[in-house]
Amino acid sequence: MTRLFNDPARFADDMVAGFAAAHPEHVRPVHGGVVRAERPRSGKVAVLTCGGSGHYPAFCGVVGPGFADGSVIGNVFTSPSAAQAHSVASAAETGGGVLFLFGNYAGDVMNFGLAARRLNDEGVPARCFAVTDDVASAPADDVARRRGIAGGFTVYKTASAAAEEGRSLDEVARVAEHTNARTRTLGVAFAGCTLPGQREPLFTVEPGKLGLGLGIHGEPGVSESALGTAEEVAHTLVEGLLADRPAEATGDRVAVLLNGLGSTKYEELYVLWGTVARLLDEAGLTPVRPEVGELVTSLDMAGCSLTLTWLDEELERLWLAPADTPAFRRGTPPATGNGPAAAASAAAAAPAPAPATTVPAARAAAARATGAGADTAALAVRALRAARTVLHEQADALGRLDAVAGDGDHGRGMVKGVDAALAAAERAHARGDAPAGLLAEAGDAWAADAGGTSGALWGAGLRALGSVLPAERAPEAGELSGAAEAALAAVVSLGRAEPGDKTLVDALQPFVSTFGERLASPAGPLAAFTAAAAEAERAARDTAALTPRLGRARPLAERSVGTPDPGAVSLAMTLDAVATAFTGRTSDTV
């Protein structure tokens, strides 16, 4: 259980503040994470390790000379937002471009991709690379769909060392890709982890069992088997990795990580390592500077993982290169800046981090609402208030739904998103902003504060929804239908989900379709919205029969069958709450 916290919703923020205060010689805080305390030389590629919190010492613990230039840190087990990623990248880059490194999760791919696109538009070269080392999450002939787990540590280390040598952005990205292609990880879980503020773990493992193929976001293993001796567990891990040896891995020298997930004692890991080392030797493999300990954790999960990276001459040199960070030290890296004075100067010159809900460009361009357009803006604020009420009421239920095959954070993420969106919308309404500007502010705030896949999708959907609403009059039926269709198109374009993938699209698409059809009837927009919300609720229920094809639940697809998709459910309950608020009827949402 995670026992030490203040407000669970601010656990990551409080952690980052404490981490930066404990390591001022290595890092300084910026909005969205941390960067090196001493700014690297001009023209160096900025390598950023990225992901949700709950994994220390990954990702912020490896910021420093010889390793990462900064870390983008999201809520517990939740992708940081694109705004956070852009903020950290802007503070870390020195003219050589930016490389975002993260695990292969939909929210990370989405948000860091958006941040990289924005940086490139601003003239800052930026690339993304998603690690895919988890052999249990997809078959060998579908490596691109594998998750990134502890093997990301090796990828981050070699790419960072390449950047330290002064290589170009293309070269550093190539090293990351090359390392990833030669890296394989397999893990086992003995007990689940517990999110801050929760009493129950995200999953349980029966006594005497282990979960094979765990994820690092509190996901259970993809299968369960009997828990044997340390020697038997070692055989399971080593044999599983050797069976998946990459075709290009022709050498016999390997970087090895025996990684504890948070509650497995170091003594236990060393017992396990004794057998792992012997099995590797029997397989003709030579470990090169193996690491045994906690490197990529999952809060207090009991479990461990084994990572092998088949080295060549280049990768071995980069793996052994010096580094000096709060959690990982190897040798003495050369100075990369101009000493403490330069660090103090850079810190003083750094711009203060902008609040997550501040979007100056959108405000500057916002049109004013006039006439019935002001009524539309007021209705948007009222709808967000209704959404806030139901999402706060249902946050725990949504978290339990998400924990069946995910990381259990969906309810908490939706609460953070809607709180930020409502606050932004109320500020915009007080200024007299038109519906388009108000909903753009709300969407950007939702995406920035919530992070993750759902945060980005809700943000894009709200912004698109407002984009076709008039500023000076009430929207016509065609404009209302067009607004709903624009929101659907934005969500599909960003998330790349289709009906049947078991995502919120499975509820949104029938809502939009029904809304458009019913708008043609004389009953009016409110009746059309109410009927469409009922159709979304039915469709959300029906997702229980689906098998997920995208997102974090996909590796645990069979566990998900029988449980509706959390994203579809939260969308449907929000739409129902809005309909209830506008009609005064009693909600039957559960």
Side-chain angles (χ1 to χ4, degrees), residues 305-326:
S305 63
L306 181 66
T307 298
L308 297 180
T309 300
W310 278 264
L311 301 171
D312 55 19
E313 184 176 340
E314 175 190 40
L315 294 185
E316 182 166 343
R317 184 186 75 256
L318 298 172
W319 171 240
L320 295 176
D324 178 21
T325 76

Side-chain angles (χ1 to χ4, degrees), residues 263-492:
S263 290
T264 303
K265 303 288 190 299
Y266 271 65
E267 287 88 344
E268 294 177 273
L269 293 174
Y270 284 121
V271 170
L272 188 62
W273 174 249
T275 303
V276 168
R278 190 191 78 236
L279 294 175
L280 294 176
D281 180 66
E282 292 173 357
L285 297 177
T286 301
V288 176
R289 196 68 183 271
E291 296 289 338
V292 179
E294 292 184 342
L295 300 167
V296 184
T297 60
S298 184
L299 286 178
D300 60 336
M301 184 187 288
C304 60
S305 63
L306 181 66
T307 298
L308 297 180
T309 300
W310 278 264
L311 301 171
D312 55 19
E313 184 176 340
E314 175 190 40
L315 294 185
E316 182 166 343
R317 184 186 75 256
L318 298 172
W319 171 240
L320 295 176
D324 178 21
T325 76
F328 183 85
R329 293 180 176 87
R330 179 171 288 172
T332 305
T336 57
N338 297 315
S345 175
T357 54
T358 299
V359 190
R363 282 209 299 269
R368 296 302 182 201
T370 59
D375 297 333
T376 304
L379 286 173
V381 174
R382 186 178 169 193
L384 285 168
R385 286 179 183 146
R388 183 185 186 278
T389 297
V390 74
L391 291 173
H392 274 263
E393 290 173 349
Q394 299 295 331
D396 288 346
L398 290 171
R400 289 192 295 272
L401 271 183
D402 192 32
V404 171
D407 53 17
D409 72 336
H410 184 68
R412 186 169 298 177
M414 292 294 289
V415 164
K416 286 179 72 72
V418 76
D419 284 354
L422 176 58
E426 288 175 335
R427 290 193 297 271
H429 186 49
R431 291 191 303 269
D433 286 2
L438 184 149
L439 286 168
E441 289 265 352
D444 290 347
W446 192 312
D449 264 36
T453 307
S454 63
L457 294 176
W458 272 85
L462 287 173
R463 177 174 270 276
L465 179 70
S467 65
V468 298
L469 298 179
E472 74 289 350
R473 56 177 173 79
E476 298 174 355
E479 290 169 326
L480 289 172
S481 178
E485 290 169 358
L488 175 62
V491 167
V492 170

Side-chain angles (χ1 to χ4, degrees), residues 106-119:
D108 293 305
V109 172
M110 187 181 300
N111 283 297
F112 295 119
L114 289 170
R117 187 183 313 161
R118 180 178 171 187
L119 289 166

